[in-house]
Amino acid sequence: MNNSPLTQWHLMLESKDLSQLDQLIDEKCIFHSPIVFKPQEGKRLTVMYLTAAFQMFSQADYFKYIKEIVQDRNAMLEFNAAIDGILIDGIDLITWNESGRITEFKVMVRPLKAIDLIKEKMLAQLSSLSTIDKLKLKGGVLWDKLKP
């Protein structure tokens, strides 16, 4: 498991260095947010959401993965966190391809007040994006198709 995407994921979080994230995410990755109903398609959106989430959780009172279940090219990572005194239970469901690139990243969070808090904090993180990055987020897959 030394070069697995999970090992790389944990190393990035421990080092607080997401510079390898772009190489870890597949071009056609699908990101499922606990806040946004529609799946976000493509590497660009996935990297933006994961980066914003990383920044949000790096300011948390507490964040720790407490359980990991791995099978073939799928993993479930359960985490606990606390932000502004609100306890958060969550799960990251991660799927990767034979090349070791993440093809799907699904986040589930509970309870409802944690979801509301995460929505507020993620909006704050995403609002700090540049105008061009906001357009990329809004355009999603369409932006990726229009770029040269």
Side-chain angles (χ1 to χ4, degrees), residues 1 24-25 36 42 47 51 72 77 80 87 99 104 107 136:
M1 189 165 132
L24 187 58
I25 303 298
V36 180
V47 168
T51 300
D72 299 322
L77 307 177
N80 291 140
L87 300 178
S99 301
E104 184 176 28
V107 182
K136 291 175 191 174

Side-chain angles (χ1 to χ4, degrees), residues 85-103:
I86 294 178
L87 300 178
I88 301 166
D89 293 316
I91 293 175
D92 292 334
L93 293 173
I94 304 171
T95 302
W96 58 91
N97 60 22
E98 59 280 344
S99 301
R101 293 191 175 218
I102 295 174
T103 57

